[in-house]
Amino acid sequence: MRLVFGPWLAGRAPFILFTIAILASALWSGWRAATFATLLALIVGIVFMHAERASVPDALEAATFLTASIGIILLAHAVKRSQASASESEEKATRRSREASAIAEELNLLIDGAQGLAIYMLDPAGRITLWNKGAERLVGWREEEVVGKDSSLFYPADAVDAAKPQADLERARRDGRFEEEDWRIRKDGSEFLASISLTALHDESGALRGFAKVLSDVTDQRAIEGALRSSENHLRSILSTVPDAMIVIDERGLILSFSTAAERLFGFREEEVVGSNVSCLMPSPNRERHDSYLERYLRTGERRIIGIGRVVFAQRRDGSTFPMELSV
């Protein structure tokens, strides 16, 4: 190109076209290729200068070209580094975005797969922002029906009148987290006893982001526990009136219950002996042998005393012994 443009340039600007080649080399192939191109251009440019106009101050022209070329190389190198840094940042951002999406997807699967748990998020004002499948199964509302609604939707009318929804949010905001059991409402209007956990969520600066709420239905569980307590109390009331001393032990011989008649007979209170080995009520040598009797029965299933009444000696709290009829 320099040879072609020679007649029009008339001996001027011998290096002007070579700067384009140096710029292209720096941008496409890096500073090493551009440096090599500069050396070649310097040599060829000097050849053109001597061929066309030897009177021009060659050294000054060559120095100007060299300085400009170095500037082009440094600028192109800085541009390439900036592009590489931007590309790396973009790649990292893309990778982090993919990782965040994968984590979010896994978290959604985990939350939606939680059986028996209603998990949902509230904004600082108490409006629902996230609703899992477990919540839909537990209370009946679909996500599109509740997102944006106030969480007081699930409280009984008397609790709403008493401003309990706002009080719960304020309590979580103040304490960070609290748990309780309280009544809640399903979509069909039925009530259930819920185990509730409400946690306040803050960002790194400490600003309130919202609340996380977890509910589970414990109505049946508490009903069963109540029935068991009632049954246990009923059994205790019966045992307290039975004239015979009744003691329940586990497979290791540890006392589980001690009737009122047993307290009168042995002189111990129930809380003093529960958890102790029943052999504490026996004089020697049965005291030392009792655990081996249990061990043999558990190992062989052979009944030597079980189901057979017999008279044995027992020992009271004060150390005195007495004969009694034993039935196991």
Side-chain angles (χ1 to χ4, degrees), residues 253-297:
L254 303 182
I255 297 173
L256 300 178
S257 68
F258 203 69
S259 73
T260 303
E263 290 181 335
R264 291 194 298 266
L265 183 63
F266 290 95
F268 290 100
R269 296 192 306 275
E270 183 177 29
E271 58 268 20
E272 293 179 300
V273 293
V274 167
S276 302
N277 196 294
V278 73
S279 62
C280 68
L281 306 176
M282 306 172 188
S284 295
N286 286 337
R287 172 177 293 187
E288 291 76 23
R289 296 173 181 172
H290 185 263
D291 285 349
S292 65
Y293 297 158
L294 285 178
E295 192 177 315
R296 182 182 60 214
Y297 169 71

Short mmCIF file of all heavy atoms in Angstrom, two decimals, residues 253-297:
data_model
loop_
_atom_site.label_atom_id
_atom_site.label_comp_id
_atom_site.label_asym_id
_atom_site.label_seq_id
_atom_site.Cartn_x
_atom_site.Cartn_y
_atom_site.Cartn_z
N GLY A 253 -34.67 -53.95 85.40
CA GLY A 253 -34.98 -53.98 86.82
C GLY A 253 -35.12 -52.61 87.43
O GLY A 253 -35.22 -52.49 88.66
N LEU A 254 -35.13 -51.52 86.62
CA LEU A 254 -35.26 -50.16 87.15
C LEU A 254 -36.73 -49.83 87.38
O LEU A 254 -37.59 -50.15 86.55
CB LEU A 254 -34.64 -49.15 86.18
CG LEU A 254 -33.17 -49.38 85.83
CD1 LEU A 254 -32.68 -48.28 84.90
CD2 LEU A 254 -32.31 -49.45 87.09
N ILE A 255 -37.01 -49.22 88.51
CA ILE A 255 -38.39 -48.93 88.91
C ILE A 255 -38.95 -47.80 88.06
O ILE A 255 -38.35 -46.73 87.94
CB ILE A 255 -38.44 -48.56 90.41
CG1 ILE A 255 -37.97 -49.75 91.25
CG2 ILE A 255 -39.85 -48.14 90.82
CD1 ILE A 255 -37.83 -49.43 92.73
N LEU A 256 -40.14 -48.05 87.47
CA LEU A 256 -40.83 -47.04 86.67
C LEU A 256 -41.96 -46.38 87.44
O LEU A 256 -42.21 -45.19 87.27
CB LEU A 256 -41.38 -47.68 85.39
CG LEU A 256 -40.36 -48.32 84.45
CD1 LEU A 256 -41.07 -48.95 83.25
CD2 LEU A 256 -39.34 -47.30 83.98
N SER A 257 -42.67 -47.13 88.26
CA SER A 257 -43.73 -46.56 89.09
C SER A 257 -43.80 -47.32 90.42
O SER A 257 -43.42 -48.50 90.51
CB SER A 257 -45.09 -46.61 88.37
OG SER A 257 -45.53 -47.95 88.23
N PHE A 258 -44.33 -46.63 91.43
CA PHE A 258 -44.31 -47.13 92.81
C PHE A 258 -45.62 -46.69 93.43
O PHE A 258 -45.83 -45.48 93.66
CB PHE A 258 -43.11 -46.51 93.53
CG PHE A 258 -42.60 -47.26 94.72
CD1 PHE A 258 -41.97 -48.48 94.58
CD2 PHE A 258 -42.73 -46.73 96.00
CE1 PHE A 258 -41.46 -49.15 95.67
CE2 PHE A 258 -42.24 -47.40 97.10
CZ PHE A 258 -41.60 -48.62 96.94
N SER A 259 -46.56 -47.61 93.69
CA SER A 259 -47.91 -47.25 94.12
C SER A 259 -47.92 -46.70 95.54
O SER A 259 -46.95 -46.84 96.31
CB SER A 259 -48.84 -48.46 94.02
OG SER A 259 -48.55 -49.39 95.06
N THR A 260 -49.05 -46.09 95.89
CA THR A 260 -49.21 -45.54 97.24
C THR A 260 -49.09 -46.63 98.29
O THR A 260 -48.48 -46.43 99.35
CB THR A 260 -50.58 -44.85 97.34
OG1 THR A 260 -50.67 -43.84 96.33
CG2 THR A 260 -50.75 -44.20 98.71
N ALA A 261 -49.67 -47.81 98.00
CA ALA A 261 -49.56 -48.93 98.94
C ALA A 261 -48.11 -49.37 99.10
O ALA A 261 -47.68 -49.74 100.21
CB ALA A 261 -50.43 -50.09 98.47
N ALA A 262 -47.34 -49.32 98.01
CA ALA A 262 -45.92 -49.67 98.09
C ALA A 262 -45.17 -48.66 98.94
O ALA A 262 -44.25 -49.01 99.70
CB ALA A 262 -45.31 -49.74 96.68
N GLU A 263 -45.55 -47.39 98.83
CA GLU A 263 -44.92 -46.37 99.68
C GLU A 263 -45.17 -46.68 101.15
O GLU A 263 -44.24 -46.58 101.99
CB GLU A 263 -45.47 -44.98 99.33
CG GLU A 263 -45.03 -44.45 97.97
CD GLU A 263 -45.56 -43.06 97.69
OE1 GLU A 263 -46.60 -42.69 98.27
OE2 GLU A 263 -44.94 -42.34 96.89
N ARG A 264 -46.42 -47.06 101.48
CA ARG A 264 -46.74 -47.38 102.87
C ARG A 264 -46.00 -48.64 103.33
O ARG A 264 -45.51 -48.71 104.46
CB ARG A 264 -48.25 -47.58 103.02
CG ARG A 264 -49.05 -46.29 102.86
CD ARG A 264 -50.48 -46.49 103.35
NE ARG A 264 -51.18 -47.52 102.56
CZ ARG A 264 -51.93 -47.24 101.51
NH1 ARG A 264 -52.06 -45.97 101.08
NH2 ARG A 264 -52.53 -48.21 100.83
N LEU A 265 -45.88 -49.61 102.43
CA LEU A 265 -45.30 -50.89 102.80
C LEU A 265 -43.78 -50.80 102.99
O LEU A 265 -43.24 -51.35 103.96
CB LEU A 265 -45.63 -51.94 101.73
CG LEU A 265 -45.15 -53.37 102.01
CD1 LEU A 265 -45.82 -53.92 103.28
CD2 LEU A 265 -45.47 -54.29 100.83
N PHE A 266 -43.10 -50.08 102.09
CA PHE A 266 -41.63 -50.06 102.12
C PHE A 266 -41.06 -48.81 102.80
O PHE A 266 -39.88 -48.79 103.15
CB PHE A 266 -41.08 -50.15 100.70
CG PHE A 266 -41.28 -51.50 100.07
CD1 PHE A 266 -42.36 -51.75 99.24
CD2 PHE A 266 -40.39 -52.54 100.32
CE1 PHE A 266 -42.54 -53.00 98.66
CE2 PHE A 266 -40.56 -53.78 99.74
CZ PHE A 266 -41.64 -54.02 98.92
N GLY A 267 -41.87 -47.76 102.94
CA GLY A 267 -41.38 -46.56 103.61
C GLY A 267 -40.69 -45.58 102.68
O GLY A 267 -40.21 -44.54 103.14
N PHE A 268 -40.61 -45.88 101.38
CA PHE A 268 -40.02 -44.96 100.39
C PHE A 268 -41.12 -44.14 99.71
O PHE A 268 -42.23 -44.64 99.50
CB PHE A 268 -39.27 -45.74 99.31
CG PHE A 268 -38.00 -46.39 99.75
CD1 PHE A 268 -37.95 -47.75 100.05
CD2 PHE A 268 -36.83 -45.65 99.88
CE1 PHE A 268 -36.79 -48.36 100.44
CE2 PHE A 268 -35.64 -46.25 100.26
CZ PHE A 268 -35.62 -47.60 100.56
N ARG A 269 -40.80 -42.90 99.35
CA ARG A 269 -41.69 -42.15 98.46
C ARG A 269 -41.35 -42.51 97.02
O ARG A 269 -40.22 -42.90 96.72
CB ARG A 269 -41.53 -40.64 98.67
CG ARG A 269 -41.94 -40.16 100.05
CD ARG A 269 -42.05 -38.63 100.10
NE ARG A 269 -40.83 -37.99 99.63
CZ ARG A 269 -39.77 -37.77 100.38
NH1 ARG A 269 -39.77 -38.13 101.67
NH2 ARG A 269 -38.70 -37.16 99.89
N GLU A 270 -42.32 -42.38 96.14
CA GLU A 270 -42.11 -42.80 94.76
C GLU A 270 -40.93 -42.09 94.11
O GLU A 270 -40.10 -42.71 93.45
CB GLU A 270 -43.38 -42.54 93.93
CG GLU A 270 -43.24 -43.03 92.49
CD GLU A 270 -44.51 -42.83 91.67
OE1 GLU A 270 -45.26 -41.89 91.98
OE2 GLU A 270 -44.72 -43.62 90.73
N GLU A 271 -40.80 -40.77 94.34
CA GLU A 271 -39.72 -40.02 93.70
C GLU A 271 -38.34 -40.45 94.20
O GLU A 271 -37.32 -40.19 93.56
CB GLU A 271 -39.91 -38.51 93.90
CG GLU A 271 -39.99 -38.06 95.33
CD GLU A 271 -41.43 -38.01 95.86
OE1 GLU A 271 -42.30 -38.67 95.26
OE2 GLU A 271 -41.64 -37.29 96.85
N GLU A 272 -38.29 -41.14 95.35
CA GLU A 272 -37.01 -41.58 95.90
C GLU A 272 -36.50 -42.85 95.21
O GLU A 272 -35.29 -43.08 95.17
CB GLU A 272 -37.13 -41.84 97.41
CG GLU A 272 -37.37 -40.60 98.25
CD GLU A 272 -37.50 -40.93 99.72
OE1 GLU A 272 -38.40 -41.71 100.09
OE2 GLU A 272 -36.68 -40.42 100.52
N VAL A 273 -37.42 -43.65 94.69
CA VAL A 273 -37.01 -44.96 94.15
C VAL A 273 -37.16 -45.08 92.64
O VAL A 273 -36.56 -45.98 92.03
CB VAL A 273 -37.79 -46.11 94.83
CG1 VAL A 273 -37.41 -46.22 96.29
CG2 VAL A 273 -39.30 -45.92 94.67
N VAL A 274 -37.95 -44.20 92.00
CA VAL A 274 -38.09 -44.30 90.54
C VAL A 274 -36.73 -44.09 89.88
O VAL A 274 -36.02 -43.14 90.18
CB VAL A 274 -39.10 -43.26 90.01
CG1 VAL A 274 -39.00 -43.14 88.50
CG2 VAL A 274 -40.51 -43.64 90.41
N GLY A 275 -36.35 -45.03 89.01
CA GLY A 275 -35.04 -45.01 88.37
C GLY A 275 -34.01 -45.86 89.09
O GLY A 275 -32.94 -46.12 88.54
N SER A 276 -34.33 -46.31 90.32
CA SER A 276 -33.42 -47.19 91.06
C SER A 276 -33.73 -48.65 90.74
O SER A 276 -34.84 -48.99 90.30
CB SER A 276 -33.56 -46.97 92.57
OG SER A 276 -33.29 -45.62 92.91
N ASN A 277 -32.76 -49.53 90.98
CA ASN A 277 -32.97 -50.95 90.76
C ASN A 277 -33.89 -51.50 91.84
O ASN A 277 -33.74 -51.18 93.03
CB ASN A 277 -31.63 -51.69 90.76
CG ASN A 277 -31.76 -53.07 90.16
OD1 ASN A 277 -32.43 -53.95 90.69
ND2 ASN A 277 -31.07 -53.28 89.03
N VAL A 278 -34.83 -52.35 91.44
CA VAL A 278 -35.79 -52.90 92.39
C VAL A 278 -35.13 -53.76 93.46
O VAL A 278 -35.71 -54.03 94.52
CB VAL A 278 -36.87 -53.70 91.63
CG1 VAL A 278 -36.28 -55.02 91.11
CG2 VAL A 278 -38.11 -53.97 92.50
N SER A 279 -33.89 -54.15 93.21
CA SER A 279 -33.17 -54.96 94.21
C SER A 279 -32.93 -54.18 95.50
O SER A 279 -32.62 -54.79 96.53
CB SER A 279 -31.84 -55.43 93.63
OG SER A 279 -31.00 -54.34 93.30
N CYS A 280 -33.12 -52.84 95.49
CA CYS A 280 -32.95 -52.06 96.72
C CYS A 280 -34.03 -52.39 97.74
O CYS A 280 -33.94 -52.01 98.90
CB CYS A 280 -32.94 -50.57 96.41
SG CYS A 280 -34.53 -49.90 95.84
N LEU A 281 -35.09 -53.10 97.30
CA LEU A 281 -36.17 -53.50 98.21
C LEU A 281 -35.98 -54.92 98.71
O LEU A 281 -36.89 -55.46 99.37
CB LEU A 281 -37.52 -53.39 97.48
CG LEU A 281 -37.82 -52.02 96.83
CD1 LEU A 281 -39.14 -52.09 96.08
CD2 LEU A 281 -37.85 -50.92 97.87
N MET A 282 -34.85 -55.52 98.42
CA MET A 282 -34.60 -56.92 98.77
C MET A 282 -33.40 -57.02 99.70
O MET A 282 -32.42 -56.28 99.55
CB MET A 282 -34.31 -57.75 97.52
CG MET A 282 -35.36 -57.66 96.44
SD MET A 282 -34.81 -58.49 94.92
CE MET A 282 -36.12 -57.99 93.81
N PRO A 283 -33.46 -57.96 100.66
CA PRO A 283 -32.26 -58.24 101.48
C PRO A 283 -31.33 -59.17 100.71
O PRO A 283 -31.69 -59.74 99.68
CB PRO A 283 -32.84 -58.92 102.71
CG PRO A 283 -34.06 -59.61 102.21
CD PRO A 283 -34.62 -58.74 101.10
N SER A 284 -30.11 -59.32 101.19
CA SER A 284 -29.19 -60.30 100.60
C SER A 284 -29.71 -61.70 100.92
O SER A 284 -30.37 -61.92 101.95
CB SER A 284 -27.79 -60.11 101.19
OG SER A 284 -27.27 -58.85 100.82
N PRO A 285 -29.49 -62.75 100.09
CA PRO A 285 -28.64 -62.69 98.88
C PRO A 285 -29.42 -62.35 97.61
O PRO A 285 -28.83 -62.24 96.55
CB PRO A 285 -28.10 -64.11 98.82
CG PRO A 285 -29.22 -64.95 99.34
CD PRO A 285 -29.85 -64.14 100.45
N ASN A 286 -30.78 -62.21 97.70
CA ASN A 286 -31.56 -61.94 96.49
C ASN A 286 -31.20 -60.59 95.86
O ASN A 286 -31.31 -60.41 94.65
CB ASN A 286 -33.06 -61.95 96.82
CG ASN A 286 -33.59 -63.35 97.04
OD1 ASN A 286 -33.00 -64.31 96.54
ND2 ASN A 286 -34.68 -63.49 97.79
N ARG A 287 -30.76 -59.64 96.67
CA ARG A 287 -30.37 -58.33 96.14
C ARG A 287 -29.27 -58.48 95.10
O ARG A 287 -29.31 -57.86 94.04
CB ARG A 287 -29.91 -57.42 97.28
CG ARG A 287 -29.32 -56.10 96.79
CD ARG A 287 -28.93 -55.20 97.93
NE ARG A 287 -30.11 -54.75 98.67
CZ ARG A 287 -30.07 -53.83 99.64
NH1 ARG A 287 -28.91 -53.29 99.99
NH2 ARG A 287 -31.16 -53.46 100.27
N GLU A 288 -28.27 -59.28 95.40
CA GLU A 288 -27.14 -59.46 94.50
C GLU A 288 -27.49 -60.35 93.31
O GLU A 288 -26.87 -60.24 92.25
CB GLU A 288 -25.95 -60.05 95.24
CG GLU A 288 -25.28 -59.11 96.26
CD GLU A 288 -26.08 -58.96 97.55
OE1 GLU A 288 -26.89 -59.88 97.85
OE2 GLU A 288 -25.93 -57.94 98.24
N ARG A 289 -28.47 -61.23 93.48
CA ARG A 289 -28.80 -62.20 92.44
C ARG A 289 -29.89 -61.72 91.47
O ARG A 289 -30.07 -62.31 90.40
CB ARG A 289 -29.26 -63.51 93.07
CG ARG A 289 -28.18 -64.20 93.89
CD ARG A 289 -28.78 -65.39 94.62
NE ARG A 289 -27.79 -66.09 95.44
CZ ARG A 289 -28.08 -67.08 96.30
NH1 ARG A 289 -29.34 -67.46 96.44
NH2 ARG A 289 -27.13 -67.65 97.00
N HIS A 290 -30.62 -60.66 91.84
CA HIS A 290 -31.82 -60.32 91.08
C HIS A 290 -31.53 -60.00 89.62
O HIS A 290 -32.26 -60.43 88.72
CB HIS A 290 -32.53 -59.13 91.74
CG HIS A 290 -33.84 -58.79 91.09
ND1 HIS A 290 -33.98 -57.80 90.15
CD2 HIS A 290 -35.08 -59.36 91.22
CE1 HIS A 290 -35.24 -57.75 89.74
NE2 HIS A 290 -35.93 -58.68 90.37
N ASP A 291 -30.47 -59.24 89.35
CA ASP A 291 -30.16 -58.88 87.96
C ASP A 291 -29.87 -60.12 87.12
O ASP A 291 -30.22 -60.18 85.94
CB ASP A 291 -28.97 -57.92 87.91
CG ASP A 291 -29.36 -56.51 88.33
OD1 ASP A 291 -30.57 -56.25 88.47
OD2 ASP A 291 -28.45 -55.68 88.54
N SER A 292 -29.24 -61.12 87.73
CA SER A 292 -28.95 -62.35 86.98
C SER A 292 -30.23 -63.12 86.68
O SER A 292 -30.34 -63.79 85.66
CB SER A 292 -27.97 -63.23 87.76
OG SER A 292 -28.55 -63.68 88.97
N TYR A 293 -31.25 -62.99 87.59
CA TYR A 293 -32.55 -63.63 87.31
C TYR A 293 -33.18 -63.00 86.06
O TYR A 293 -33.68 -63.73 85.18
CB TYR A 293 -33.50 -63.45 88.50
CG TYR A 293 -33.05 -64.10 89.79
CD1 TYR A 293 -33.54 -63.65 91.02
CD2 TYR A 293 -32.15 -65.17 89.79
CE1 TYR A 293 -33.15 -64.24 92.21
CE2 TYR A 293 -31.75 -65.76 90.98
CZ TYR A 293 -32.25 -65.29 92.19
OH TYR A 293 -31.86 -65.88 93.37
N LEU A 294 -33.16 -61.68 86.00
CA LEU A 294 -33.73 -61.00 84.82
C LEU A 294 -32.96 -61.36 83.55
O LEU A 294 -33.56 -61.61 82.50
CB LEU A 294 -33.68 -59.48 85.02
CG LEU A 294 -34.69 -58.86 85.98
CD1 LEU A 294 -34.44 -57.36 86.08
CD2 LEU A 294 -36.12 -59.12 85.53
N GLU A 295 -31.64 -61.37 83.67
CA GLU A 295 -30.80 -61.67 82.51
C GLU A 295 -31.08 -63.08 81.98
O GLU A 295 -31.16 -63.29 80.76
CB GLU A 295 -29.33 -61.54 82.94
CG GLU A 295 -28.34 -61.53 81.78
CD GLU A 295 -26.93 -61.33 82.28
OE1 GLU A 295 -26.72 -60.45 83.14
OE2 GLU A 295 -26.04 -62.08 81.82
N ARG A 296 -31.26 -64.02 82.90
CA ARG A 296 -31.54 -65.40 82.47
C ARG A 296 -32.89 -65.48 81.77
O ARG A 296 -33.03 -66.15 80.74
CB ARG A 296 -31.51 -66.32 83.69
CG ARG A 296 -31.75 -67.81 83.33
CD ARG A 296 -31.77 -68.67 84.58
NE ARG A 296 -32.84 -68.22 85.47
CZ ARG A 296 -32.75 -68.26 86.80
NH1 ARG A 296 -31.65 -68.69 87.38
NH2 ARG A 296 -33.77 -67.86 87.55
N TYR A 297 -33.89 -64.77 82.30
CA TYR A 297 -35.21 -64.81 81.67
C TYR A 297 -35.17 -64.19 80.27
O TYR A 297 -35.74 -64.74 79.32
CB TYR A 297 -36.24 -64.06 82.54
CG TYR A 297 -37.54 -63.86 81.80
CD1 TYR A 297 -38.40 -64.94 81.55
CD2 TYR A 297 -37.91 -62.61 81.30
CE1 TYR A 297 -39.59 -64.77 80.86
CE2 TYR A 297 -39.07 -62.43 80.60
CZ TYR A 297 -39.91 -63.52 80.38
OH TYR A 297 -41.07 -63.34 79.68
#
